[in-house]
Amino acid sequence: MATKGASTAMQKIMKRVATAERVAAKRKKVTRERFLKHQLGNTEKQATESRRTTEQEFRRAKQTVREQWELGPMAPRQDVGEWAGARGAISQHRLRGFNKLSLADRNKRCEWAGGAYRLNIAVGDRVVLLEGPDKGKIGLINAIISESAEVTVDGLNKTNMRIGQEIRGPGEPAAVNIELPIPISAIRLVHPLKDPVTGVTRDVIINQLEHAAGLPDQESDKTWSRVVPGLNVTIPWPPKPEEDHRDHPCDTLRLYSEAKTFVPTLLRPPMPLQVIDELRHKYSRFRTRHEPEYLARLDAEAKAKEERKRLTEESMRTPLQEFHRQERANKKKKGKPRLTLEMLEKIGEVIARNREKALNREKALNRANAAGVSDAGAAAGSSSAAPSSSSKPSKKVSPPPEQQTDPPPPPPPSSSA
């Protein structure tokens, strides 16, 4: 029975655990779906805003061209005022459309380069553009935008972008020339390979890359290798660009930074005691030395707290408490009471009366005890002489009444009082 009860309890526990796991998994799934829905909504909203801005700019550009064709020199000028010198430049709001994409969309863009998770291109690679106005040109990758699976190529796919008045500084132009991001699907890697037939090395466009296990690359910090499928050719990673270290007047010289200025010892503390207090908080409770201003402020705060407490008590006192407080103040003002001669005489009378009563009570008790002992002896003798008389109830002998005596006169008052 005990084994059956234990198995039943274990089954109940397992059911509860399974139910809790299902509830947690469902809650996690709902939270994930809500997050993805919110993210998708934001992406669609930003893409819609970008498309709307683009359409407005296209309509405005077409209207400008139509006005110039119809009106000629009488057409209104578009390069004056706030946007002087920014004719034909795109709005900065159009760049907001390039935001996060889903993993499936990113993998689709990076399919030829091994996928979005293990992208086989890096900053510094030479790539060729397959789309846009600079189609067929080769450039170096400046940056990789992993959220949208896009890259920027140095000197290619450039355009003019308007800069708002609230962003640009004084004297800066209203438009700047920048590189627009390019989808990874619109570029291909360019790498020099040697022709096995002719032995001539020339640039080759690589349309497919795959990752392979290999030793970590020290120069690029990559943990895998990239190869061309079918040729088994490993494409080396581009080296990381060297950082430009420049000396400034505020820099500490290496001579001073490497100089040994401290030798640890047990004979003295590593730093003055004042430094320890400075490293702690200025008003820390672990600090042992405080400034006089701080101590004075603490005293003032304590006095103010006591004053507030006193005022609060006075404001919350009831009329009865106020009366008692006034009575205590009056008694304290009068001082301790002093005994007069009349008081001393009264006290002496009371003491003498009580003493006489106590003496009379003691005498009566002694007489009653003595009479009780004699009656017990007589009763014992009579019981032995006449046994029949024991059935009769015995009468109690009451003690004689106390004699009334006049109390003695009180003693005269002492001269010490």
Side-chain angles (χ1 to χ4, degrees):
M1 294 296 293
T3 306
K4 185 177 180 181
S7 63
T8 305
M10 184 59 66
Q11 289 177 359
K12 290 183 179 180
I13 294 174
M14 293 176 65
K15 288 183 179 179
R16 291 179 182 177
V17 171
T19 304
E21 289 178 351
R22 288 196 302 270
V23 171
K26 185 177 180 180
R27 187 184 297 113
K28 184 178 180 181
K29 182 180 178 181
V30 171
T31 305
R32 179 65 178 174
E33 290 178 354
R34 188 183 296 114
F35 171 75
L36 293 177
K37 185 177 180 181
H38 179 70
Q39 186 179 9
L40 180 61
N42 290 340
T43 303
E44 292 179 354
K45 186 185 299 182
Q46 292 173 356
T48 304
E49 183 181 356
S50 178
R51 286 194 298 269
R52 186 183 300 112
T53 305
T54 304
E55 292 173 359
Q56 291 176 359
E57 290 182 353
F58 280 148
R59 285 196 299 267
R60 191 180 301 112
K62 289 180 180 179
Q63 183 181 0
T64 302
V65 172
R66 186 181 304 109
E67 290 176 352
Q68 289 181 352
W69 175 263
E70 294 177 353
L71 302 178
M74 301 298 295
R77 297 182 58 183
Q78 303 291 335
D79 57 348
V80 293
E82 180 182 358
W83 302 112
R87 181 181 178 182
I90 66 173
S91 173
Q92 57 183 343
H93 301 288
R94 288 180 58 178
L95 296 178
R96 296 182 180 177
F98 302 94
N99 285 298
K100 292 182 179 180
L101 297 178
S102 63
L103 182 60
D105 295 338
R106 284 183 287 166
N107 284 328
K108 188 176 180 180
R109 283 190 174 185
C110 306
E111 184 179 0
W112 71 270
Y117 183 69
R118 288 196 175 184
L119 191 60
N120 290 317
I121 58 176
V123 176
D125 279 334
R126 296 171 64 236
V127 294
V128 60
L129 271 62
L130 306 181
E131 299 174 359
D134 295 328
K135 179 180 179 180
K137 294 183 179 180
I138 298 175
L140 296 177
I141 296 178
N142 275 342
I144 299 177
I145 308 173
S146 58
E147 298 176 349
S148 57
E150 294 174 329
V151 297
T152 57
V153 183
D154 186 15
L156 299 181
N157 199 33
K158 301 185 72 175
T159 185
N160 293 331
M161 186 182 67
R162 293 197 301 265
I163 304 298
Q165 231 176 3
E166 66 278 0
I167 299 178
R168 64 175 185 262
E172 294 183 357
V176 293
N177 194 253
I178 61 172
E179 294 97 358
L180 288 179
I182 308 171
I184 296 179
S185 59
I187 62 173
R188 291 296 184 270
L189 182 65
V190 176
H191 186 72
L193 292 179
K194 186 176 181 180
D195 191 349
V197 179
T198 61
V200 179
T201 302
R202 58 179 182 177
D203 288 338
V204 178
I205 298 177
I206 300 175
N207 293 319
Q208 189 67 33
L209 286 173
E210 293 181 357
H211 63 273
L215 296 176
D217 191 6
Q218 299 293 336
E219 296 183 356
S220 61
D221 297 336
K222 297 291 185 178
T223 58
W224 69 91
S225 301
R226 52 182 181 176
V227 298
V228 180
L231 298 179
N232 294 329
V233 176
T234 302
I235 306 298
W237 294 101
K240 294 176 62 177
E242 296 182 0
E243 298 181 3
D244 186 13
H245 297 285
R246 297 181 181 180
D247 294 335
H248 300 278
C250 60
D251 293 341
T252 303
L253 298 180
R254 184 175 180 179
L255 174 66
Y256 299 137
S257 61
E258 294 181 353
K260 189 175 182 180
T261 58
F262 174 72
V263 179
T265 178
L266 298 177
L267 300 178
R268 58 182 181 275
M271 60 186 71
L273 298 179
Q274 292 79 5
V275 177
I276 299 178
D277 287 341
E278 291 177 2
L279 292 177
R280 290 173 176 162
H281 191 261
K282 185 177 181 181
Y283 306 115
S284 173
R285 60 190 182 94
F286 299 104
R287 190 168 180 171
T288 57
R289 289 166 291 277
H290 293 285
E291 298 176 356
E293 294 81 2
Y294 174 67
L295 297 177
R297 184 166 66 83
L298 289 183
D299 295 340
E301 290 178 357
K303 292 180 180 179
K305 185 176 180 180
E306 291 294 334
E307 184 66 19
R308 287 195 302 271
K309 183 178 179 181
R310 185 182 64 80
L311 293 176
T312 303
E313 291 178 354
E314 291 181 357
S315 61
M316 298 178 64
R317 195 177 296 122
T318 61
L320 183 60
Q321 292 176 347
E322 186 68 27
F323 174 74
H324 291 165
R325 183 171 178 272
Q326 190 66 27
E327 289 291 331
R328 289 194 298 269
N330 294 336
K331 289 182 180 180
K332 187 176 181 181
K333 186 177 180 181
K334 289 181 180 180
K336 294 182 179 181
R338 300 183 63 182
L339 296 176
T340 61
L341 293 177
E342 296 178 357
M343 293 180 181
L344 293 175
E345 290 178 0
K346 291 289 184 182
I347 292 172
E349 292 177 2
V350 171
I351 293 175
R353 191 182 304 112
N354 293 338
R355 183 172 178 274
E356 184 65 24
K357 287 182 179 180
L359 292 175
N360 293 337
R361 190 180 300 109
E362 186 178 359
K363 290 179 181 179
L365 290 175
N366 293 334
R367 285 197 298 269
N369 293 334
V373 172
S374 60
D375 291 344
S382 62
S383 61
S384 58
S388 61
S389 64
S390 59
S391 60
K392 295 181 180 181
S394 60
K395 296 182 178 180
K396 293 185 179 180
V397 180
S398 60
E402 296 181 359
Q403 297 179 0
Q404 298 292 334
T405 58
D406 296 334
S414 61
S415 61
S416 60

